[in-house]
Amino acid sequence: MPELPEVETVRQGLLKLVKGSTIIGVDVYWDRIISGEIHSEDFASQLIGNRIIDINRRGKYLLFNFSHWSMISHLRMEGKYEVSETNEPLKKHTHIVFHLSDGRDLRYLDVRKFGRMTLVPKGEEFTVAGLKTIGPEPISETFDLTFFKKILKQKSRAIKPLLLEQKVVAGLGNIYVDEALFEAEIHPLRPAHSLRPKEVEQLHQSIIDVLRKAVLAGGTTIRSYKHALGKVGNFQVELHVYGKTNEPCTNCGTPIKKIKVAQRGTHICTNCQKLTTKNSLPRS
DNA sequence: GGCAGTGTTACCTC
DNA sequence: AGAGGTAACACTGC
């Protein structure tokens, strides 16, 4: 569930449900979800008595602002939160349960157990690996075009894996990077420094547009899960290439092709997104 | 049975 | 040191 728009949708949903609630107990069923220095028993005992003051987001990371601690939470591939009455039986794949003082639970579920939570003292959020080197927020004015141009100019790496690194810009994953590259008509294997200034500008704008629209739509629902928080997105109806293998390109009608780029399934229109054209050869 | 999958990072090698 | 590629994490669904 987890690129920027989905995480933002979860954040907004969670905030409505649990802002101001106090944690009275924590059950950890799969300890490896908890990373960092503060672990299982400490993780639970330190959180008891903490109020959920606010929930923020940076890229694909959720930042829980508790009374005395911050918790960094990354959903990775399939992490989900849900809020249930404490007496409701636990669903399969429930790994962490935060008991709230009002008789409800905040529960974390994760089929693949890839997600991670890290408890850090307030103010130390950005010492967590992943947040230390994270790039600018694409849907705010911190995503500066001049900076974007400068970084791309000095990277020979293919543009898609570069954008997936989270360092040039935060929040893009496999779905939205394919969509943004399609919208900008750029082949995912183009070396970053081979992009013309016009193309970089277009890509910058496409990243912003795609993510903003997806946030407004509440994210993308790929596989239908029983309603866990945030799984109500509708952006899938606006996708152009992701998951559209063999369907006609909405721009030119050419069937969308699926290729492999940096081990990730990658969807392109071979007509609209050329790898080598006269316009895209590296400058001499 | 086999493989792909909304993500990150540890562990190589150059 | 920095860059880039690959495997690993763990499980489900097609």
Side-chain angles (χ1 to χ4, degrees), chain A residues 26 34 38-47 71 98 119:
Chain A
V26 181
I34 319 285
I38 298 162
H39 260 266
S40 41
E41 311 87 41
D42 286 343
F43 180 84
S45 62
Q46 291 296 345
L47 279 177
M71 187 179 79
F98 303 89
L119 199 60

Side-chain angles (χ1 to χ4, degrees), chain A residues 1 8 10 17-18 31 49-50 68 82 87 97 104 106 112 129 140 143 158 170 178-179 189 196 214 226 238 250 265:
Chain A
M1 99 163 315
E8 176 59 20
V10 171
L17 286 168
V18 300
D31 192 44
N50 273 257
H68 305 293
E82 61 174 34
N87 58 21
V97 177
R104 296 179 305 157
L106 171 63
R112 291 170 74 177
S140 83
F143 185 32
D178 278 6
E179 293 297 317
L189 284 172
R196 327 242 75 206
K226 303 272 164 70
E238 298 179 55
T250 50

Side-chain angles (χ1 to χ4, degrees), chain A residues 2 60-62 72-76 108 110 114-117:
Chain A
K60 305 175 194 172
Y61 293 83
L62 286 169
I72 316 303
S73 170
H74 198 299
L75 275 17
R76 295 282 179 93
Y108 179 75
D110 191 337
F114 282 1
R116 293 293 179 264
M117 293 177 195

Side-chain angles (χ1 to χ4, degrees), chain A residues 248-260:
Chain A
C249 168
T250 50
N251 188 38
C252 75
T254 305
I256 300 300
K257 222 177 143 192
K258 187 170 177 185
I259 61 173
K260 208 82 166 175

